[in-house]
PDB file of all heavy atoms in Angstrom:
ATOM      1  N   ARG A  11      46.891-262.243 -59.252  1.00 58.00           N
ATOM      2  CA  ARG A  11      45.902-262.930 -58.483  1.00 58.00           C
ATOM      3  C   ARG A  11      44.537-262.715 -59.155  1.00 58.00           C
ATOM      4  O   ARG A  11      44.141-261.601 -59.465  1.00 58.00           O
ATOM      5  CB  ARG A  11      45.885-262.401 -57.058  1.00 58.00           C
ATOM      6  CG  ARG A  11      44.994-263.126 -56.136  1.00 58.00           C
ATOM      7  CD  ARG A  11      45.375-262.907 -54.669  1.00 58.00           C
ATOM      8  NE  ARG A  11      44.211-263.258 -53.825  1.00 58.00           N
ATOM      9  CZ  ARG A  11      43.312-262.366 -53.392  1.00 58.00           C
ATOM     10  NH1 ARG A  11      43.448-261.085 -53.665  1.00 58.00           N
ATOM     11  NH2 ARG A  11      42.309-262.790 -52.644  1.00 58.00           N
ATOM     12  N   ALA A  12      43.868-263.839 -59.427  1.00 69.00           N
ATOM     13  CA  ALA A  12      42.569-263.715 -60.080  1.00 69.00           C
ATOM     14  C   ALA A  12      41.586-263.033 -59.143  1.00 69.00           C
ATOM     15  O   ALA A  12      41.462-263.364 -57.963  1.00 69.00           O
ATOM     16  CB  ALA A  12      42.038-265.105 -60.413  1.00 69.00           C
ATOM     17  N   VAL A  13      40.861-262.108 -59.689  1.00 85.00           N
ATOM     18  CA  VAL A  13      39.856-261.369 -58.896  1.00 85.00           C
ATOM     19  C   VAL A  13      38.474-261.919 -59.295  1.00 85.00           C
ATOM     20  O   VAL A  13      38.165-261.960 -60.471  1.00 85.00           O
ATOM     21  CB  VAL A  13      39.949-259.855 -59.120  1.00 85.00           C
ATOM     22  CG1 VAL A  13      38.819-259.153 -58.391  1.00 85.00           C
ATOM     23  CG2 VAL A  13      41.299-259.334 -58.680  1.00 85.00           C
ATOM     24  N   ILE A  14      37.742-262.333 -58.330  1.00 92.00           N
ATOM     25  CA  ILE A  14      36.380-262.838 -58.560  1.00 92.00           C
ATOM     26  C   ILE A  14      35.419-261.759 -58.134  1.00 92.00           C
ATOM     27  O   ILE A  14      35.360-261.390 -56.952  1.00 92.00           O
ATOM     28  CB  ILE A  14      36.124-264.115 -57.761  1.00 92.00           C
ATOM     29  CG1 ILE A  14      37.230-265.158 -58.021  1.00 92.00           C
ATOM     30  CG2 ILE A  14      34.754-264.695 -58.048  1.00 92.00           C
ATOM     31  CD1 ILE A  14      37.171-265.771 -59.419  1.00 92.00           C
ATOM     32  N   SER A  15      34.655-261.243 -59.049  1.00 94.00           N
ATOM     33  CA  SER A  15      33.729-260.148 -58.729  1.00 94.00           C
ATOM     34  C   SER A  15      32.375-260.768 -58.300  1.00 94.00           C
ATOM     35  O   SER A  15      32.136-261.984 -58.393  1.00 94.00           O
ATOM     36  CB  SER A  15      33.501-259.303 -59.960  1.00 94.00           C
ATOM     37  OG  SER A  15      32.789-260.020 -60.930  1.00 94.00           O
ATOM     38  N   LYS A  16      31.510-259.862 -57.806  1.00 95.00           N
ATOM     39  CA  LYS A  16      30.163-260.332 -57.443  1.00 95.00           C
ATOM     40  C   LYS A  16      29.437-260.825 -58.651  1.00 95.00           C
ATOM     41  O   LYS A  16      28.687-261.823 -58.581  1.00 95.00           O
ATOM     42  CB  LYS A  16      29.391-259.143 -56.849  1.00 95.00           C
ATOM     43  CG  LYS A  16      29.668-258.950 -55.368  1.00 95.00           C
ATOM     44  CD  LYS A  16      28.697-257.943 -54.745  1.00 95.00           C
ATOM     45  CE  LYS A  16      29.082-257.688 -53.291  1.00 95.00           C
ATOM     46  NZ  LYS A  16      28.308-256.581 -52.709  1.00 95.00           N
ATOM     47  N   ASP A  17      29.648-260.187 -59.786  1.00 96.00           N
ATOM     48  CA  ASP A  17      29.022-260.694 -61.029  1.00 96.00           C
ATOM     49  C   ASP A  17      29.539-262.091 -61.396  1.00 96.00           C
ATOM     50  O   ASP A  17      28.723-262.934 -61.815  1.00 96.00           O
ATOM     51  CB  ASP A  17      29.341-259.716 -62.182  1.00 96.00           C
ATOM     52  CG  ASP A  17      28.325-258.566 -62.253  1.00 96.00           C
ATOM     53  OD1 ASP A  17      27.289-258.652 -61.520  1.00 96.00           O
ATOM     54  OD2 ASP A  17      28.570-257.619 -63.024  1.00 96.00           O
ATOM     55  N   ASP A  18      30.815-262.316 -61.187  1.00 97.00           N
ATOM     56  CA  ASP A  18      31.355-263.669 -61.440  1.00 97.00           C
ATOM     57  C   ASP A  18      30.633-264.697 -60.614  1.00 97.00           C
ATOM     58  O   ASP A  18      30.219-265.760 -61.077  1.00 97.00           O
ATOM     59  CB  ASP A  18      32.862-263.683 -61.127  1.00 97.00           C
ATOM     60  CG  ASP A  18      33.704-262.912 -62.132  1.00 97.00           C
ATOM     61  OD1 ASP A  18      33.250-262.738 -63.296  1.00 97.00           O
ATOM     62  OD2 ASP A  18      34.821-262.482 -61.767  1.00 97.00           O
ATOM     63  N   ARG A  19      30.433-264.349 -59.320  1.00 97.00           N
ATOM     64  CA  ARG A  19      29.745-265.300 -58.440  1.00 97.00           C
ATOM     65  C   ARG A  19      28.301-265.547 -58.889  1.00 97.00           C
ATOM     66  O   ARG A  19      27.801-266.664 -58.823  1.00 97.00           O
ATOM     67  CB  ARG A  19      29.662-264.764 -56.994  1.00 97.00           C
ATOM     68  CG  ARG A  19      30.998-264.523 -56.294  1.00 97.00           C
ATOM     69  CD  ARG A  19      31.499-265.742 -55.556  1.00 97.00           C
ATOM     70  NE  ARG A  19      32.861-265.521 -55.121  1.00 97.00           N
ATOM     71  CZ  ARG A  19      33.741-266.506 -54.863  1.00 97.00           C
ATOM     72  NH1 ARG A  19      33.395-267.746 -55.070  1.00 97.00           N
ATOM     73  NH2 ARG A  19      34.942-266.208 -54.494  1.00 97.00           N
ATOM     74  N   ARG A  20      27.712-264.481 -59.422  1.00 97.00           N
ATOM     75  CA  ARG A  20      26.340-264.626 -59.887  1.00 97.00           C
ATOM     76  C   ARG A  20      26.250-265.555 -61.097  1.00 97.00           C
ATOM     77  O   ARG A  20      25.421-266.445 -61.172  1.00 97.00           O
ATOM     78  CB  ARG A  20      25.783-263.251 -60.239  1.00 97.00           C
ATOM     79  CG  ARG A  20      24.306-263.119 -60.349  1.00 97.00           C
ATOM     80  CD  ARG A  20      23.847-261.697 -60.271  1.00 97.00           C
ATOM     81  NE  ARG A  20      24.439-260.866 -61.330  1.00 97.00           N
ATOM     82  CZ  ARG A  20      23.912-260.689 -62.541  1.00 97.00           C
ATOM     83  NH1 ARG A  20      22.769-261.269 -62.855  1.00 97.00           N
ATOM     84  NH2 ARG A  20      24.497-259.913 -63.448  1.00 97.00           N
ATOM     85  N   TRP A  21      27.207-265.363 -62.004  1.00 97.00           N
ATOM     86  CA  TRP A  21      27.228-266.265 -63.185  1.00 97.00           C
ATOM     87  C   TRP A  21      27.498-267.704 -62.822  1.00 97.00           C
ATOM     88  O   TRP A  21      26.919-268.637 -63.379  1.00 97.00           O
ATOM     89  CB  TRP A  21      28.256-265.775 -64.227  1.00 97.00           C
ATOM     90  CG  TRP A  21      27.894-264.467 -64.865  1.00 97.00           C
ATOM     91  CD1 TRP A  21      28.653-263.316 -64.825  1.00 97.00           C
ATOM     92  CD2 TRP A  21      26.745-264.143 -65.631  1.00 97.00           C
ATOM     93  NE1 TRP A  21      28.021-262.305 -65.526  1.00 97.00           N
ATOM     94  CE2 TRP A  21      26.854-262.796 -66.023  1.00 97.00           C
ATOM     95  CE3 TRP A  21      25.624-264.884 -66.023  1.00 97.00           C
ATOM     96  CZ2 TRP A  21      25.876-262.147 -66.839  1.00 97.00           C
ATOM     97  CZ3 TRP A  21      24.641-264.221 -66.824  1.00 97.00           C
ATOM     98  CH2 TRP A  21      24.794-262.894 -67.187  1.00 97.00           C
ATOM     99  N   LEU A  22      28.381-267.878 -61.829  1.00 98.00           N
ATOM    100  CA  LEU A  22      28.695-269.275 -61.399  1.00 98.00           C
ATOM    101  C   LEU A  22      27.468-269.883 -60.755  1.00 98.00           C
ATOM    102  O   LEU A  22      27.207-271.086 -60.909  1.00 98.00           O
ATOM    103  CB  LEU A  22      29.845-269.264 -60.371  1.00 98.00           C
ATOM    104  CG  LEU A  22      31.263-269.068 -61.017  1.00 98.00           C
ATOM    105  CD1 LEU A  22      32.274-268.924 -59.924  1.00 98.00           C
ATOM    106  CD2 LEU A  22      31.592-270.226 -61.967  1.00 98.00           C
TER     107      LEU A  22
END
Side-chain angles (χ1 to χ4, degrees):
Chain A
R11 186 160 161 262
V13 175
I14 307 290
S15 70
K16 277 190 184 172
D17 275 350
D18 290 336
R19 297 273 171 206
R20 197 163 58 89
W21 292 120
L22 284 174

